[in-house]
Amino acid sequence: MPEGKTFFPEIFQTNQLLFYERFRAYQDYILADCKASEVQEFTAEFLEKVLEPSGWRAVWHTNVFKVLVEVTDVDFAALKAVVRLAEPYLCDSQVSTFTMECMKELLDLKEHRLPLQELWVVFDDSGVYDQTALAIEHVRFFYQNIWRSWDEEEEDEYDYFVRCVEPRLRLHYDILEDRVPSGLIVDYRNLLSQCEESYRKFLNLRSSLSNCNSDSEQENISMVEGLKLYSEMEQLKQKLKLIENPLLRYVFGYQKNSNIQAKGVRSSGQKITHVVSSTMMAGLLRSLLTDRLCQEPGEEEREIQFHSDPLSAINACFEGDTVIVCPGHYVVHGTFSIADSIELEGYGLPDDIVIEKRGKGDTFVDCTGADIKISGIKFVQHDAVEGILIVHRGKTTLENCVLQCETTGVTVRTSAEFLMKNSDLYGAKGAGIEIYPGSQCTLSDNGIHHCKEGILIKDFLDEHYDIPKISMVNNIIHNNEGYGVVLVKPTIFSDLQENAEDGTEENKALKIQTSGEPDVAERVDLEELIECATGKMELCARIDPSEQVEGNCEIVNELIAASTQKGQIKKKRLSELGITQADDNLMSQEMFVGIVGNQFKWNGKGSFGTFLF
């Protein structure tokens, strides 16, 4: 035995249980439909059935030491074991002065009763203690990861498992499997610590109040402090529940990521060029100096910084900086959070400059800067649960890039602007591009293929939404599982549109009520409406029976119809409020569609479709 090293016997390895194994144990065998106040009672009943009452050895493990003990009895109601030091004496302590006599004194102070969750059962190949080790693991995991000290003071209903255990258990495993953004994990743990601290203060204050004389001034002050602490604790608990809820945590995470603060211009006013290369060779450096880093006459001298990975370069950027990524395959484990106006460009062809994202929980690229430009890079996702690029606000330009997606591709949020040129996007299990109401999206000369849907336009018919501005020119949208382009809209709009049709295939018209005569329905030929829009915005240069042009016009027709209906709903509501608009021209509303020259090929359900909800 090496000097200073203590070899302990092997213990049962029970910490690698799968989600469904723990889920089934808590739901079917331990907690069932108990209340929060009954958790300890139900756990004790479960342990009485499966735990060996004595005769087994365990390692008592704390943050300071671990020592071998022997269990002589179990107090099931208190979830504690009665123990004595095992022979021979084995102890491994971080404090050298922690002797056998000290350990005996400590056990005497504890009356030889230790919490079961602090015991790790020593391995025994007879199989007698397998269930004992597993049962203690369930207790230990529950009180370390699921139980909260304030749970008993929450609503004491019979659905404690559904309300608390299941969502917390799912969150724990989502974190283990990298399915939660890293920033959200930090927030959750900080919130948990703050809530525990507030609850501890609240309990201390409540205890002091019970010892005060009634109607004293100190009691009144403490009451006010107690109310403040209680209110603060309730707010923290609500935030914890938001993150614990699997449906709401991604909304919460999106709000966090969209609030990334820009650094702005450096205090010195200087702009820096960041060069990324895993290895810098002399020839590459000469080429860079000639092509990218050569200073023009009269140009202000720039500082150059070198990085081995693109993530560190982006994190070091301020407003106006440039990141040049040299050829190579880079693997990153975090999010590109770009909050300043910077340029990220590849030095070479996109297939030679590959940035691969590892980790499931974070978005690949988060853009919130006013004017971000990305060019000449291939982004690759594997086994992700978040999209490859999200434009939260500001303008992002993507040119000559390749996006190999895993979940959704690009998401253009409300009030954001996205420009994509000469790029290739494929592999999304959702939509290649999601366009939200009130956004601007310009797509030119791109390929969007092998996704579930090519482009998805979110519902914009609600009165609170603004119409998106969409331009699609010379894109090839092909081999998608569903439609090339999908418009999401409510079922009620579809019903209104059906009621507005006159029933003939040759001449479909919309019923539109003018502000002057709200009770008189005026029929407007949809073909004339499209022709008017075509003349004004040059959407379709000519009518051609080919599949590609038909696809363009089909999209134009549907979007104009939806836009028109939205305008008339708004006009009707204004009319009901006594507000009239001077211009009744249907085309006076700002048109948002510019679609021409796109090719739609081999999409599973066709070039265009609608999704009703």
Side-chain angles (χ1 to χ4, degrees):
M1 182 180 298
E3 185 178 353
K5 183 69 175 178
T6 304
F7 286 97
F8 279 81
E10 291 185 1
I11 59 174
F12 281 96
Q13 299 299 322
T14 55
N15 57 353
Q16 300 296 325
L17 296 179
L18 300 176
F19 166 80
Y20 79 90
E21 292 175 306
R22 296 193 193 275
F23 181 92
R24 185 183 175 191
Y26 294 130
Q27 184 184 47
D28 296 346
Y29 300 107
I30 304 176
L31 301 176
D33 59 350
C34 73
K35 301 178 182 179
S37 59
E38 298 172 335
V39 166
Q40 186 165 333
E41 179 186 345
F42 273 59
T43 304
E45 290 179 2
F46 164 73
L47 292 176
E48 285 183 20
K49 298 174 184 176
V50 298
L51 210 66
E52 291 293 327
S54 62
W56 46 278
R57 297 192 303 164
V59 175
W60 178 23
H61 202 307
T62 70
N63 294 330
V64 179
F65 61 83
K66 57 181 181 179
V67 63
L68 187 64
V69 297
E70 183 178 343
V71 175
T72 59
D73 195 9
V74 176
D75 183 353
F76 294 104
L79 305 183
K80 290 185 177 182
V82 180
V83 303
R84 65 187 177 198
L85 292 177
E87 296 180 358
Y89 173 72
L90 284 180
C91 179
D92 186 8
S93 172
Q94 298 178 10
V95 182
S96 58
T97 57
F98 209 84
T99 62
M100 182 176 179
E101 288 69 25
C102 293
M103 186 62 66
K104 287 181 177 179
E105 289 180 12
L106 181 61
L107 282 176
D108 289 338
L109 287 172
K110 291 181 172 288
E111 298 178 346
H112 289 257
R113 291 153 54 88
L114 303 178
L116 285 171
Q117 56 262 38
E118 293 183 7
L119 299 179
W120 273 259
V121 181
V122 171
F123 178 73
D124 183 286
D125 56 7
S126 67
V128 175
Y129 303 117
D130 290 4
Q131 290 301 315
T132 296
L134 193 60
I136 292 177
E137 168 62 26
H138 287 313
V139 173
R140 177 167 45 247
F141 181 89
F142 176 80
Y143 281 102
Q144 286 181 351
N145 301 287
I146 307 296
W147 179 254
R148 308 286 182 254
S149 53
W150 55 83
D151 278 353
E152 284 186 306
E153 300 197 15
E154 292 280 285
E155 296 179 10
D156 200 20
E157 302 293 339
Y158 285 102
D159 59 348
Y160 175 71
F161 178 86
V162 176
R163 284 188 298 108
C164 299
V165 178
E166 182 179 355
R168 291 171 187 170
L169 184 62
R170 289 188 184 278
L171 175 62
H172 177 85
Y173 276 89
D174 282 348
I175 291 173
L176 284 182
E177 296 168 5
D178 293 327
R179 297 186 179 276
V180 181
S182 54
L184 200 57
I185 297 172
V186 173
D187 278 359
Y188 181 74
R189 288 172 178 165
N190 288 339
L191 287 168
L192 201 55
S193 298
Q194 292 173 30
C195 198
E196 288 171 349
E197 179 66 17
S198 296
Y199 185 66
R200 184 186 62 78
K201 291 179 180 178
F202 179 76
L203 289 181
N204 291 338
L205 190 62
R206 188 166 64 180
S207 176
S208 66
L209 279 173
S210 63
N211 298 326
C212 285
N213 295 325
S214 59
D215 298 330
S216 67
E217 183 178 352
Q218 181 62 38
E219 183 182 20
N220 293 334
I221 295 173
S222 298
M223 287 284 286
V224 173
E225 292 177 359
L227 288 173
K228 288 181 180 178
L229 276 174
Y230 181 80
S231 176
E232 176 186 329
M233 196 169 60
E234 287 300 311
Q235 291 178 5
L236 291 171
K237 285 195 286 188
Q238 288 304 317
K239 289 180 180 179
L240 287 171
K241 288 178 181 178
L242 277 177
I243 303 177
E244 289 168 355
N245 187 309
L247 298 177
L248 298 177
R249 87 171 55 119
Y250 295 107
V251 177
F252 194 77
Y254 155 65
Q255 290 174 347
K256 172 181 170 52
N257 292 332
S258 64
N259 290 328
I260 300 168
Q261 296 298 316
K263 298 177 184 176
V265 181
R266 285 183 179 82
S267 56
S268 62
Q270 190 177 21
K271 297 179 180 178
I272 294 177
T273 298
H274 304 264
V275 177
V276 179
S277 180
S278 53
T279 55
M280 180 59 69
M281 308 301 290
L284 177 60
L285 184 58
R286 281 196 298 269
S287 300
L288 276 171
L289 289 170
T290 303
D291 299 338
R292 291 285 192 276
L293 306 177
C294 182
Q295 185 177 349
E296 297 294 334
E299 186 182 3
E300 183 182 354
E301 193 169 6
R302 257 198 187 198
E303 180 184 339
I304 299 172
Q305 293 183 2
F306 292 90
H307 305 263
S308 60
D309 72 279
L311 185 58
S312 65
I314 287 174
N315 290 339
C317 280
F318 283 73
E319 185 80 11
D321 285 4
T322 300
V323 179
I324 299 174
V325 185
C326 297
H329 190 114
Y330 305 90
V331 177
V332 296
H333 295 271
T335 299
F336 286 8
S337 298
I338 308 177
D340 293 279
S341 297
I342 67 170
E343 292 187 23
L344 174 62
E345 59 179 88
Y347 181 58
L349 298 174
D351 285 340
D352 297 329
I353 305 155
V354 180
I355 303 178
E356 181 181 343
K357 172 74 167 63
R358 296 280 175 86
K360 306 172 184 177
D362 294 304
T363 305
F364 202 154
V365 184
D366 260 325
C367 297
T368 57
D371 189 9
I372 299 168
K373 296 178 181 177
I374 304 173
S375 61
I377 297 175
K378 181 176 182 178
F379 296 93
V380 178
Q381 263 187 325
H382 288 301
D383 198 24
V385 295
E386 294 289 341
I388 199 165
L389 187 150
I390 298 181
V391 186
H392 295 282
R393 57 179 176 271
K395 178 181 179 181
T396 297
T397 302
L398 196 72
E399 187 169 4
N400 194 30
C401 289
V402 177
L403 303 180
Q404 181 179 318
C405 310
E406 180 71 20
T407 51
T408 54
V410 177
T411 301
V412 189
R413 295 282 185 178
T414 300
S415 301
E417 183 178 355
F418 179 63
L419 177 62
M420 180 172 165
K421 299 178 183 177
N422 302 313
S423 296
D424 195 38
L425 186 156
Y426 61 92
K429 292 186 174 122
I433 298 178
E434 289 187 2
I435 302 173
Y436 276 68
S439 62
Q440 297 183 42
C441 185
T442 302
L443 307 174
S444 175
D445 300 288
N446 303 293
I448 302 172
H449 56 97
H450 294 92
C451 304
K452 184 169 180 61
E453 310 285 353
I455 299 170
L456 187 143
I457 304 171
K458 296 280 190 175
D459 168 46
F460 58 84
L461 293 170
D462 190 278
E463 61 179 322
H464 301 294
Y465 296 157
D466 292 327
I467 297 173
K469 296 179 177 64
I470 305 171
S471 176
M472 293 171 54
V473 180
N474 297 331
N475 300 284
I476 302 177
I477 303 173
H478 65 95
N479 289 102
N480 294 293
E481 183 180 337
Y483 293 102
V485 178
V486 177
L487 172 64
V488 179
K489 60 184 182 180
T491 307
I492 186 172
F493 169 74
S494 178
D495 297 339
L496 289 171
Q497 192 173 19
E498 289 177 3
N499 293 334
E501 295 176 357
D502 68 353
T504 62
E505 294 182 357
E506 295 78 18
N507 185 24
K508 293 184 179 180
L510 293 174
K511 292 181 180 178
I512 302 171
Q513 295 185 352
T514 63
S515 59
E517 298 177 347
D519 296 326
V520 180
E522 178 184 357
R523 293 185 179 276
V524 179
D525 194 338
L526 185 56
E527 291 180 3
E528 292 178 5
L529 179 64
I530 295 167
E531 185 179 349
C532 178
T534 304
K536 241 179 180 184
M537 300 188 61
E538 299 180 355
L539 301 179
C540 298
R542 62 183 181 276
I543 300 299
D544 188 292
S546 68
E547 176 189 354
Q548 291 82 10
V549 175
E550 284 181 358
N552 286 275
C553 291
E554 184 181 359
I555 297 169
V556 172
N557 296 356
E558 184 66 33
L559 294 180
I560 289 177
S563 172
T564 302
Q565 183 68 33
K566 177 181 174 68
Q568 296 310 310
I569 292 172
K570 179 182 177 181
K571 184 180 291 186
K572 182 179 178 182
R573 285 176 178 158
L574 291 175
S575 178
E576 291 172 352
L577 295 172
I579 303 172
T580 59
Q581 294 178 329
D583 188 0
D584 288 335
N585 184 2
L586 288 175
M587 299 310 300
S588 65
Q589 59 185 304
E590 183 179 6
M591 294 302 298
F592 65 100
V593 183
I595 300 176
V596 62
N598 302 286
Q599 299 183 39
F600 300 87
K601 298 179 178 180
W602 308 303
N603 295 297
K605 295 183 180 179
S607 59
F608 180 80
T610 56
F611 177 78
L612 303 177
F613 68 95

